[in-house]
Amino acid sequence: MSTSSQTQFRYTQTPSKVLHLRNLPWECTEEELVELCKPFGKIVNTKCNVGANRNQAFVEFVDLNQAISMVSYYASSSEPAQVRGKTVYIQYSNRHEIVNNKSPGDTPGNVLLVTIEGVEANDVTIETIHLVFSAFGFVHKIATFEKAAGFQALIQFTDAETASSARNALDGRSIPRYLLPDHVTSCHLRISYSAHTDLNIKFQSHRSRDYTNPYLPVNPTAMEGLMQPVVGPDGKKQEPQSNVLLASIENMQYAVTVDVLHSVFSAFGTVQKIAIFEKNGGTQALIQYPDVTTAAVAKESLEGHCIYEGGYCKLHLSYSRHTDLNVKAYSDKSRDYTISDLSLLATQGPAMQAQPSAGQVPAWDPSLQARPSYGSVPGTVPGQAYQASAVPTYMNAAPPAGSSPLSQPGATSMRMPPPGGAPLLGQPPYYGQ
């Protein structure tokens, strides 16, 4: 039988007593490798199941001539090397010895690295993983994550013996069908040992769990992520609501500071915290309200509107997964309005002022905007530095004289005056000048 179109040998490589074997059957054993190679000499070391598909291996002969003999034999033979009926492709390795037959994943430890093949991240819950692996002993901690290899989990047992028994029993097996969603047809576990010995779990959530610490805080947003998505009357998935809004700022020709955002968003209720950051080359901000209702009103009213007249600094809003921002009380990029201790503010930055100093962006004046029928959103936070104003509605009202509303139908501008006074020749100064 002739070989396939794929070259079975690489002749240009420098001979080595270590041979690289490819296209091996799944989970080829050391015994099968030795059986294939022993007619040509003594095998002193092997390394099995390497590569992304675990279908490659290395074999080390005691002498270089023995390796050359094997390569030469199959290069001239009409019958290729085979294991379990599969043609095996042989070449010299670029290594001259197999230093360690065991990879880090083969060294026993109390933490297992589990790759769950054939599923998405939300198909297998952390409860299912715990149920499967706790059959072999007490599971201390679980952490799940997504990598290039797929959906994975780190599972910590009490000792290496318990972890080994779980690995030996479950590696290559499937999670029982009744524990999986209906759309998952197959699911296989690929298990190796992790170099970790004690996982650092910061909070309980649908992605991580510490079964040894009942007092560990719960991340409510992360726990809610386990819930099924909300479906609207039209059958489409609805965005899960939150009391924290994520604002992406488009066409940012003017500076948008914490004070500017507070002026805009506090018109709809008490703003508790603000954080500004850069991501993917753009400016974004997180704005925290006391409750979801207030955030929903602000999102509906401000989505698509511009902070400055002329279509500048357009807001695109979505709900954040956060529920309570961890920000510095006072900095250029963040503000915590719930802190009433002014001495604490003084230690983190300059004293807050009720009025912006010269050169700062003036606060948005809600009086420039038509004020139809939104009512005020009640509620204040102790120590709030700013008084929430009445909630205006943005609608197609006639703009004040001298303003420049957006040209799109239904879009209006909040018409905050540009910073630095009137622009020259009718052109606004660009952000950063």
Side-chain angles (χ1 to χ4, degrees), residues 81-211:
Q82 291 187 338
V83 175
R84 293 189 222 160
K86 291 193 66 175
T87 297
V88 179
Y89 300 100
I90 305 172
Q91 66 190 53
Y92 293 114
S93 172
N94 56 10
R95 64 181 73 185
H96 298 287
E97 64 176 335
I98 300 176
V99 177
N100 182 12
N101 189 42
K102 291 186 176 182
S103 66
D106 295 325
T107 303
N110 66 313
V111 178
L112 298 178
L113 172 62
V114 181
T115 301
I116 307 176
E117 299 178 345
V119 300
E120 299 295 332
N122 294 327
D123 291 339
V124 179
T125 66
I126 202 167
E127 287 78 13
T128 297
I129 296 173
H130 181 263
L131 179 64
V132 171
F133 283 85
S134 62
F136 301 90
F138 179 65
V139 173
H140 287 233
K141 302 173 184 178
I142 298 177
T144 63
F145 48 91
E146 295 175 74
K147 292 287 187 180
F151 181 53
Q152 296 183 312
L154 289 169
I155 302 169
Q156 178 179 332
F157 286 97
T158 304
D159 48 50
E161 290 74 18
T162 308
S164 296
S165 63
R167 179 177 186 260
N168 294 337
L170 295 176
D171 188 26
R173 302 287 296 276
S174 298
I175 293 178
R177 187 70 184 81
Y178 65 88
L179 294 176
L180 300 172
D182 294 336
H183 67 275
V184 178
T185 56
S186 63
C187 168
H188 294 89
L189 302 176
R190 302 300 173 198
I191 306 175
S192 60
Y193 295 105
S194 169
H196 294 281
T197 57
D198 188 17
L199 302 180
N200 182 20
I201 306 297
K202 296 182 179 180
F203 48 77
Q204 314 281 20
S205 76
H206 71 294
R207 301 302 296 269
S208 61
R209 202 68 57 86
D210 185 345
Y211 299 96

Side-chain angles (χ1 to χ4, degrees), residues 29-40:
T29 64
E30 183 178 12
E31 290 75 16
E32 289 174 308
L33 292 177
V34 172
E35 185 68 24
L36 174 67
C37 301
K38 69 181 182 180
F40 304 95

Side-chain angles (χ1 to χ4, degrees), residues 199-395:
L199 302 180
N200 182 20
I201 306 297
K202 296 182 179 180
F203 48 77
Q204 314 281 20
S205 76
H206 71 294
R207 301 302 296 269
S208 61
R209 202 68 57 86
D210 185 345
Y211 299 96
T212 67
N213 185 3
Y215 303 105
L216 197 66
V218 174
N219 185 330
T221 305
M223 296 300 288
E224 290 169 3
L226 188 61
M227 300 173 59
Q228 295 295 325
V230 179
V231 179
D234 56 356
K236 296 182 179 180
K237 292 182 180 179
Q238 292 183 339
E239 184 183 13
Q241 292 184 326
S242 169
N243 66 310
V244 178
L245 296 179
L246 172 62
S248 299
I249 305 173
E250 180 185 297
N251 194 21
M252 189 167 168
Q253 302 289 355
Y254 297 125
V256 175
T257 65
V258 173
D259 291 330
V260 169
L261 291 176
H262 184 268
S263 298
V264 173
F265 284 87
S266 64
F268 302 90
T270 300
V271 173
Q272 293 181 322
K273 300 175 184 179
I274 295 177
I276 301 176
F277 55 95
E278 301 293 325
K279 186 175 183 180
N280 299 328
T283 299
Q284 297 184 351
L286 291 168
I287 299 96
Q288 177 178 326
Y289 285 104
D291 52 68
V292 173
T293 303
T294 309
V297 171
K299 179 179 183 296
E300 181 179 355
S301 301
L302 292 175
E303 169 60 33
H305 287 278
C306 300
I307 297 178
Y308 295 108
E309 61 181 9
Y312 299 114
C313 302
K314 188 175 183 179
L315 294 172
H316 293 288
L317 302 174
S318 61
Y319 292 108
S320 170
R321 294 183 301 171
H322 296 281
T323 57
D324 188 17
L325 303 179
N326 182 19
V327 301
K328 289 185 178 181
Y330 188 97
S331 74
D332 293 339
K333 295 293 186 180
S334 64
R335 198 69 52 82
D336 186 344
Y337 300 98
T338 65
I339 295 180
S340 58
D341 188 353
L342 296 180
S343 63
L344 178 59
L345 296 181
T347 63
Q348 300 195 26
M352 297 177 62
Q353 299 179 3
Q355 298 295 329
S357 60
Q360 283 187 314
V361 179
W364 172 47
D365 183 2
S367 65
L368 294 180
Q369 181 66 35
R371 290 176 178 266
S373 58
Y374 258 116
S376 299
V377 178
T380 58
V381 176
Q384 176 84 5
Y386 296 89
Q387 180 65 36
S389 61
V391 180
T393 297
Y394 299 98
M395 58 185 297

